[in-house]
Amino acid sequence: MVQDIFLTLQQASPKPTASIDAIPVELRLLILHEIADISTLYNLIRASPIYYATVANTREEVLTPLIVHELEKVLTPIVLREFESRGVHLFRPYWALDLYMTGLEFSYEEIIA
């Protein structure tokens, strides 16, 4: 008898389940802005259709910082090598003076090419 009442109460008021999908859109966007790399974003949107829809609706806002971050990881070593090949060592205390003294002029198009 007591067990039946307990089971009835349990079924009448189930425990709320916590889900990352249940949070408001504003918080989802904050979470998306804190993601550091594309593979993490990919895993999240594969695991959650709600986050997939959020990214689809705010594509530029979410993807632009991630793409810039990924490009920085690729381009920074290239730019550093280019500076060093021209005699400018950016990690020395007076690298700006080195750049000025050598009179180097360059464009990003030259560096990337």
Side-chain angles (χ1 to χ4, degrees):
M1 173 87 172
V2 173
Q3 188 176 15
D4 292 335
I5 294 172
F6 179 73
L7 287 175
T8 305
L9 288 174
Q10 229 180 6
Q11 292 170 351
S13 60
K15 289 182 182 178
T17 57
S19 171
I20 194 167
D21 291 337
I23 63 175
V25 175
E26 294 82 9
L27 292 177
R28 271 187 263 149
L29 286 172
L30 288 174
I31 290 170
L32 289 169
H33 286 291
E34 292 300 317
I35 291 178
D37 58 24
I38 290 178
S39 64
T40 303
L41 177 65
Y42 175 75
N43 290 330
L44 178 61
I45 63 175
R46 283 195 57 209
S48 168
I50 300 293
Y51 277 85
Y52 178 84
T54 304
V55 170
N57 291 330
T58 59
R59 186 175 309 137
E60 188 174 326
E61 180 183 347
V62 172
L63 293 179
T64 299
L66 282 174
I67 292 170
V68 167
H69 179 71
E70 293 292 322
L71 285 173
E72 284 175 348
K73 290 192 309 189
V74 172
L75 292 178
T76 299
I78 295 169
V79 170
L80 289 176
R81 277 195 305 271
E82 184 64 27
F83 272 114
E84 288 176 2
S85 72
R86 296 179 182 208
V88 178
H89 303 283
L90 296 177
F91 294 108
R92 289 187 17 204
Y94 301 107
W95 66 268
L97 183 59
D98 288 346
L99 185 60
Y100 176 75
M101 295 301 282
T102 56
L104 292 177
E105 292 187 21
F106 64 92
S107 66
Y108 288 108
E109 290 80 18
E110 290 177 15
I111 293 173
I112 294 172

